[in-house]
Amino acid sequence: MKNYFFEPHVGSAYHSGCGPYGKRILVLGSSFYCPYVYDDKACMECTDINKKDSSKYDASCKIYRPLGRVLHDEPSYNIEEKPKAYQNLAKAIGKIIGTTSYEQTWSYLAFTNYVQFFLPATDECYRGTSSADLSPRDFDAFIEVVRKLQPHVVIVCGCVINKPVMNNEYLCDKDMLEQTQGYVCHLDIPGIAHRISVINPYHPSSSAWYTGLSSFQQYLTDELNIID
């Protein structure tokens, strides 16, 4: 039984890699939300922050089912909808890999979120992810996804999820994490032949994104240029 519920979006060119050395990049967000939580008992159960499990409604969601959609494919639906944060991220990465196209940039990337169930939201009003929303299953799911996709770089978009993702038993350079003020570190995960670079920029939907944009692009360029 796998721990991850959300099936990662994997771009058509992901496995060929991007950057000077053909590196694979996984983008890791925080959470998906359901704005219909108070409309229906099933929606409330699907987004229950204590149960933390939306899988029961994967194929029976009253919103997704009429559209021919399933909940576990939400990462790919998000890419298709082109929210502003995803456009900002694509633009920043595109400058490094040499494209201005949103679609082409995402074709080189994989994407999923850390939290493995839908969080409740109301009337499109989304709260931030909190530490109480996380569970050990989420970390196990992250490791499973990393072992499956074998990325060279993981871009972490979230100030809560960066703690378990960047500071765990697989961290191999705590000094670098401290020197970069929590911006960059590397994980050495059994079953993966290369070290994984983890970069934690400001969230691409925040005003601080533009403040730290040049640093993010420089760190990403540096990590893509590391020769394994």
Side-chain angles (χ1 to χ4, degrees), residues 82 86-106 108:
K82 302 182 182 180
Y86 293 44
Q87 293 182 45
N88 287 343
L89 192 60
K91 185 176 181 180
I93 296 174
K95 286 185 178 180
I96 295 171
I97 65 177
T99 177
T100 59
S101 165
Y102 175 90
E103 289 79 8
Q104 187 173 3
T105 299
W106 278 103
Y108 286 106

Side-chain angles (χ1 to χ4, degrees), residues 5-8 32 58-59 64 70-77 118:
F5 170 62
F6 294 111
E7 191 66 33
F32 295 118
D58 186 25
Y64 281 49
V70 289
L71 298 181
H72 71 258
D73 278 338
E74 184 65 7
S76 292
Y77 304 147
F118 280 88

Side-chain angles (χ1 to χ4, degrees), residues 30-38 47 63-64 74 78 81 83 86 113 118-130 133 203 205:
S30 296
S31 307
F32 295 118
Y33 295 86
C34 173
Y36 307 99
V37 58
Y38 297 112
T47 59
I63 306 300
Y64 281 49
E74 184 65 7
N78 264 234
E81 290 165 3
Y86 293 44
N113 271 343
F118 280 88
L119 293 184
T122 311
D123 298 327
E124 302 291 336
C125 181
Y126 303 118
R127 62 176 176 80
T129 305
S130 72
D133 298 321
H203 197 281
S205 67

Side-chain angles (χ1 to χ4, degrees), residues 6-71:
F6 294 111
E7 191 66 33
H9 165 83
V10 180
S12 59
Y14 170 77
H15 290 288
S16 66
C18 60
Y21 295 98
K23 299 296 179 68
R24 296 180 294 274
I25 300 175
L26 168 65
V27 177
L28 184 70
S30 296
S31 307
F32 295 118
Y33 295 86
C34 173
Y36 307 99
V37 58
Y38 297 112
D39 293 352
D40 184 274
K41 182 179 179 180
C43 290
M44 293 181 69
E45 183 177 5
C46 183
T47 59
D48 189 311
I49 60 173
N50 295 309
K51 291 183 177 180
K52 295 179 168 54
D53 186 1
S54 301
S55 61
K56 178 179 178 180
Y57 300 98
D58 186 25
S60 61
C61 171
K62 69 174 187 178
I63 306 300
Y64 281 49
R65 186 176 180 181
L67 300 174
R69 291 184 167 189
V70 289
L71 298 181

